[in-house]
Amino acid sequence: DVCSSDLRERLKKAFQPMLTEEDNVWYEFFDLILTAYKMELRSPREFKRSEMSEFKAPIFIIPAKQDIFFPPKQVLLKAKQIFSCSIEQKIIEGKHLPSKDTMRDVCNCIKIFLTK
């Protein structure tokens, strides 16, 4: 276990709103990200519909119901405003960082989507 109990408690408080389930690997990852990586804190700019007019491939959007950063309703609305191609969606249970079981399901759904 890489994190001390004090550090783990501070990480839990900071990242609990994003985690669907407790996972020691995530806490070790958060520790590394905060101590060894210079993060870009600006959000990426949004594309305009005119910039994406030539994009024709289908899109698969998988938002989580309780995601504090990307609420499903807003993500899907924004995608429809930007893209004119077909948009498939699957809203999953959980927060920004889903459970292991949900991630297995997501991976299977992506495989199916990519083989259509």
Side-chain angles (χ1 to χ4, degrees), residues 5-6 8 18 46 48 64 66 80 86 95 105 110:
S5 61
D6 181 49
R8 182 173 304 281
M18 292 191 303
E46 290 184 12
K48 296 177 183 160
Q66 294 87 28
K80 288 175 183 176
S86 71
K95 299 179 183 179
D105 183 44
I110 292 171

Side-chain angles (χ1 to χ4, degrees), residues 51-100:
E51 294 175 297
M52 300 308 296
S53 64
E54 298 298 317
F55 187 86
K56 301 298 181 198
I59 295 174
F60 191 22
I61 298 175
I62 310 170
K65 282 184 183 177
Q66 294 87 28
D67 193 322
I68 62 173
F69 300 114
F70 303 103
K73 203 179 248 184
Q74 291 174 331
V75 168
L76 299 171
L77 178 64
K78 183 57 87 172
K80 288 175 183 176
Q81 291 171 354
I82 295 172
F83 297 101
S84 58
C85 57
S86 71
I87 299 173
E88 196 170 319
Q89 64 183 350
K90 177 179 177 62
I91 299 175
I92 59 173
E93 291 296 326
K95 299 179 183 179
H96 188 68
L97 303 170
S99 69
K100 289 178 185 178

Side-chain angles (χ1 to χ4, degrees), residues 8-116:
R8 182 173 304 281
E9 287 307 310
R10 288 186 292 160
L11 290 171
K12 281 183 182 182
K13 286 180 185 176
F15 291 99
Q16 195 63 41
M18 292 191 303
L19 287 169
T20 300
E21 66 184 9
E22 290 284 319
D23 186 341
N24 290 335
V25 174
W26 275 119
Y27 291 119
E28 290 174 19
F29 173 78
F30 296 143
D31 182 34
L32 286 170
I33 286 294
L34 293 172
T35 58
Y37 180 75
K38 184 177 186 276
M39 292 186 63
E40 176 63 50
L41 298 177
R42 291 178 294 156
S43 296
R45 76 170 181 82
E46 290 184 12
F47 288 101
K48 296 177 183 160
R49 187 173 185 92
S50 61
E51 294 175 297
M52 300 308 296
S53 64
E54 298 298 317
F55 187 86
K56 301 298 181 198
I59 295 174
F60 191 22
I61 298 175
I62 310 170
K65 282 184 183 177
Q66 294 87 28
D67 193 322
I68 62 173
F69 300 114
F70 303 103
K73 203 179 248 184
Q74 291 174 331
V75 168
L76 299 171
L77 178 64
K78 183 57 87 172
K80 288 175 183 176
Q81 291 171 354
I82 295 172
F83 297 101
S84 58
C85 57
S86 71
I87 299 173
E88 196 170 319
Q89 64 183 350
K90 177 179 177 62
I91 299 175
I92 59 173
E93 291 296 326
K95 299 179 183 179
H96 188 68
L97 303 170
S99 69
K100 289 178 185 178
D101 288 340
T102 298
M103 282 308 299
R104 274 190 281 278
D105 183 44
V106 165
C107 289
N108 288 330
C109 290
I110 292 171
K111 286 179 192 176
I112 292 167
F113 176 77
L114 292 175
T115 57
K116 287 183 181 180

